[in-house]
Amino acid sequence: MREYWTSLASLMGAVAFLQGVVHAVFPAELRAAVARLLGRATRAFSPYCYFDVTETEGMGTNEIYDAVQLYLSSSAAPAAGARLTLSRPHNASSFTFGLAASDRVLDAFRGAAVTWEHVVAPRQAQGFSWRPLPEEKRRFTLRIRRGDRGVLLPAYLDHILAAAADIRRRSQDRLLYTNARGGAMDARGLPWDPVPFKHPSTFDTLAMDPERKAAIMADLRDFADGSAFYERTGRAWKRGYLLYGPPGTGKSSMIAAMANHLGYDVYDLELTEVGSNAELRKLLMKTTSKSIIVIEDIDCSVDLTNRATAAAAAQPPKPRASIDGGAIDQDAAAAPAGAAARSITLSGLLNFTDGLWSCCGSERIFVFTTNHIEKLDPALLRSGRMDMHIFMSYCTFPALKILLRNYLDDDSSASSSSAAAAATMAGLETWIDAAEITPADVSEVLIKNRRNGREQAMEQLLEVLKARAEKRPPSAAAGNATGGGDNEEEEEEEEEEKRALESPKEGGGEDGQDEETEAKKQLSE
């Protein structure tokens, strides 16, 4: 053993002596040139090719480096058993993992294997700089086979960028935007005011028939994964949903469930705050992709149903010359202040949802809600603008079971555990359709009685259903079967009265008197 260490020390001394001779005889430039030649020769006969993705590109950051880091840490690294670093960025709702220094991870794309290595090296001391660089140089090295280069590049990098963008979006808090200032810009040049979107509604808690929910979820998933389909067919990557039904049937909860299911931001567009079609287009251009644009109560926001008035106003009068030779807009001068403040037209709204301006972004969903679909202009309902019409009906028995599970931790097995509970559940199934009660009303009854126990809360709900069903006149069922009913007639009369009261203020003059007379005739009839 002693002779072994003596021989090893002699060998190391000889190597050090030869290294000193080489450094003394051959200059550094020659040694570097020989090293480069050996490296080129090695790479020429190697079956692999290498690509370096540095952290910085000049004085700026490299977008591909951040994308690769997110992709590897969230997709490939956990499955490969690599060593990871744990972090949580600012304004993020989940943790992120990073590949540790000098560690490798394997990945595959389109059947080709790739290897990523995270290389970290100390940076040489730098002089004075207005923007100091990090103390370490970081880069990712991609190793692929030469024969797979045409298959992987650039498709693999595009896949990484898309996956990283999706990971980054899902890790951040979703936002709810509103146009409180109409179309006016803030100091950052944005017309939307954001707040964190924390609505807890999901499709699991939404009170709706499971089959209808499954169909809606499948349609949403097909839309989110349909980039290639929309590009191949030459269609704008957008989709329209119309939610209609009585108040309290869960239209707003449906929108929140859609946003939580897809991870999209929500833009709540208030049409009454928008002054013109130009402002409407400006708001659309400032929305981001992967978002849901919502217009609630479209039939009550602005009057978009009077085509006769729009046709009469379609022919502008001849402009008359002003004192300085310019033209005066007679419509703007003669229009009342209220009409000038809100000049959104049906054509402007249609272009907003299905015109050229709607193609300035991608992966957007337009959602309109209304309580009276029959009052909407047919142009708003055609395919391409509202692709899917979703009727939010009164509470059905499958939806009732979801509400019982949400508020009382009740399921079918628990409800049938006793004879009394089974009888109550049978009564609920019998009376739920006849009562015509909304999910909001059912939720209110369950919230009030949730502390009294599950069986007592169900009994109280059964009494409410019986009372509501007995109060409804016999003719109401026939009216509802044909799409009418006393409640709808009363709502129509109330809206006609409101229009009759508002028409003198908006029209003014003889036109306003004519509209008031016409409204009174309609009410008298």
Side-chain angles (χ1 to χ4, degrees):
M1 190 67 181
R2 186 173 183 180
E3 291 79 4
Y4 171 78
W5 288 109
T6 303
S7 302
L8 181 61
S10 301
L11 179 60
M12 293 178 63
V15 170
F17 174 75
L18 292 176
Q19 184 179 8
V21 171
V22 170
H23 281 271
V25 175
F26 300 100
E29 294 79 3
L30 181 60
R31 296 196 306 271
V34 172
R36 286 196 298 268
L37 289 176
L38 291 176
R40 290 177 182 177
T42 303
R43 289 192 295 270
F45 293 99
S46 175
Y48 299 99
C49 54
Y50 298 84
F51 300 90
D52 288 337
V53 181
T54 58
E55 182 181 13
T56 58
E57 185 68 23
M59 299 300 294
T61 58
N62 190 354
E63 180 183 359
I64 303 179
Y65 179 88
D66 297 334
V68 171
Q69 187 176 28
L70 274 177
Y71 171 75
L72 294 179
S73 61
S74 301
S75 302
R83 182 178 179 181
L84 305 177
T85 59
L86 182 63
S87 63
R88 181 173 181 175
H90 179 68
N91 195 25
S93 57
S94 61
F95 295 97
T96 58
F97 301 90
L99 192 63
S102 302
D103 204 347
R104 292 185 178 183
V105 64
L106 302 178
D107 194 18
F109 182 74
R110 295 182 178 178
V114 300
T115 303
W116 288 95
E117 183 179 1
H118 191 208
V119 181
V120 179
R123 188 183 300 274
Q124 296 180 356
Q126 58 179 344
F128 175 77
S129 176
W130 292 103
R131 186 179 180 182
L133 296 175
E135 297 181 355
E136 296 177 334
K137 292 191 299 183
R138 301 181 179 89
R139 73 175 188 272
F140 284 103
T141 300
L142 172 63
R143 189 188 73 175
I144 61 176
R145 290 187 173 273
R146 294 184 182 275
D148 298 333
R149 182 171 181 176
V151 178
L152 295 175
L153 300 179
Y156 183 48
L157 295 180
D158 293 338
H159 168 70
I160 290 176
L161 292 173
D166 184 70
I167 295 169
R168 189 180 296 108
R169 177 178 54 84
R170 291 186 177 275
S171 63
Q172 293 178 349
D173 292 335
R174 286 181 294 276
L175 298 176
L176 172 63
Y177 295 87
T178 180
N179 58 318
R181 299 182 308 276
M185 303 287 186
D186 59 4
R188 300 169 297 173
L190 300 176
W192 297 95
D193 292 332
V195 295
F197 183 72
K198 300 292 186 181
H199 202 292
S201 177
T202 62
F203 278 105
D204 291 335
T205 61
L206 188 65
M208 180 181 284
D209 294 349
E211 294 182 357
R212 296 180 60 198
K213 285 197 296 185
I216 296 171
M217 294 170 64
D219 187 79
L220 290 172
R221 183 50 53 193
D222 291 341
F223 169 78
D225 299 336
S227 176
F229 168 78
Y230 284 93
E231 183 177 358
R232 185 178 68 253
T233 57
R235 294 172 56 91
W237 194 4
K238 63 181 182 62
R239 191 156 180 84
Y241 291 83
L242 176 66
L243 309 182
Y244 67 98
T249 52
K251 293 185 284 293
S252 298
S253 299
M254 169 65 76
I255 297 172
M258 294 168 63
N260 290 329
H261 180 67
L262 296 176
Y264 287 6
D265 293 335
V266 179
Y267 289 85
D268 186 13
L269 178 60
E270 182 61 43
L271 288 180
T272 57
E273 295 293 332
V274 183
S276 62
N277 294 335
E279 290 186 0
L280 194 61
R281 290 193 295 269
K282 186 189 305 180
L283 289 168
L284 178 64
M285 289 188 296
K286 293 298 182 179
T287 59
T288 60
S289 300
K290 297 182 182 296
S291 60
I292 300 177
I293 302 174
V294 180
I295 303 180
E296 294 193 276
D297 298 327
I298 184 64
D299 57 321
C300 302
S301 299
V302 290
D303 188 6
L304 301 172
T305 58
N306 194 349
R307 284 179 173 265
T309 305
Q315 300 179 355
K318 296 182 179 180
R320 55 185 178 86
S322 61
I323 297 177
D324 57 358
I328 298 178
D329 190 356
Q330 294 184 1
D331 288 344
R342 294 181 177 87
S343 58
I344 301 178
T345 62
L346 177 62
S347 175
L349 184 61
L350 296 181
N351 290 331
F352 176 82
T353 57
D354 194 28
L356 292 176
W357 290 98
S358 64
C359 305
C360 62
S362 62
E363 201 169 351
R364 288 195 183 98
I365 294 178
F366 293 88
V367 179
F368 289 176
T369 69
T370 180
N371 296 334
H372 304 283
I373 188 175
E374 68 279 358
K375 296 182 180 180
L376 297 182
D377 194 286
L380 286 170
L381 304 178
R382 75 169 181 84
S383 300
R385 295 189 177 105
M386 295 294 109
D387 303 288
M388 193 171 185
H389 296 187
I390 302 175
F391 176 59
M392 309 297 292
S393 63
Y394 289 105
C395 188
T396 60
F397 185 67
L400 176 61
K401 291 193 293 185
I402 296 176
L403 293 176
L404 294 176
R405 182 195 65 193
N406 294 341
Y407 293 99
L408 305 179
D409 295 330
D410 178 73
D411 55 17
S412 58
S413 60
S415 61
S416 59
S417 58
S418 63
T424 304
M425 182 62 68
L428 293 175
E429 184 177 5
T430 302
W431 290 95
I432 185 65
D433 293 332
E436 285 196 351
I437 188 171
T438 63
D441 293 333
V442 174
S443 301
E444 186 65 24
V445 175
L446 296 179
I447 290 175
K448 290 181 179 179
N449 297 274
R450 70 183 187 278
R451 291 185 297 271
N452 299 330
R454 179 176 58 85
E455 295 184 1
Q456 187 172 353
M458 294 171 58
E459 293 175 358
Q460 183 64 30
L461 177 60
L462 180 59
E463 294 179 1
V464 172
L465 296 181
K466 291 181 180 179
R468 289 178 66 96
E470 293 173 355
K471 288 182 179 179
R472 295 181 62 246
S475 59
N480 290 327
T482 59
D486 296 341
N487 295 334
E488 295 184 358
E489 293 178 358
E490 292 177 359
E491 293 177 358
E492 291 179 358
E493 293 178 359
E494 292 178 358
E495 292 184 1
E496 289 178 355
E497 291 178 359
K498 292 180 181 179
R499 293 179 181 176
L501 294 174
E502 294 176 355
S503 57
K505 299 179 182 180
E506 297 178 354
E510 296 179 357
D511 296 338
Q513 294 177 0
D514 294 341
E515 293 178 0
E516 183 179 5
T517 305
E518 183 68 18
K520 290 181 179 179
K521 289 181 181 179
Q522 294 178 359
L523 291 176
S524 61
E525 294 174 358

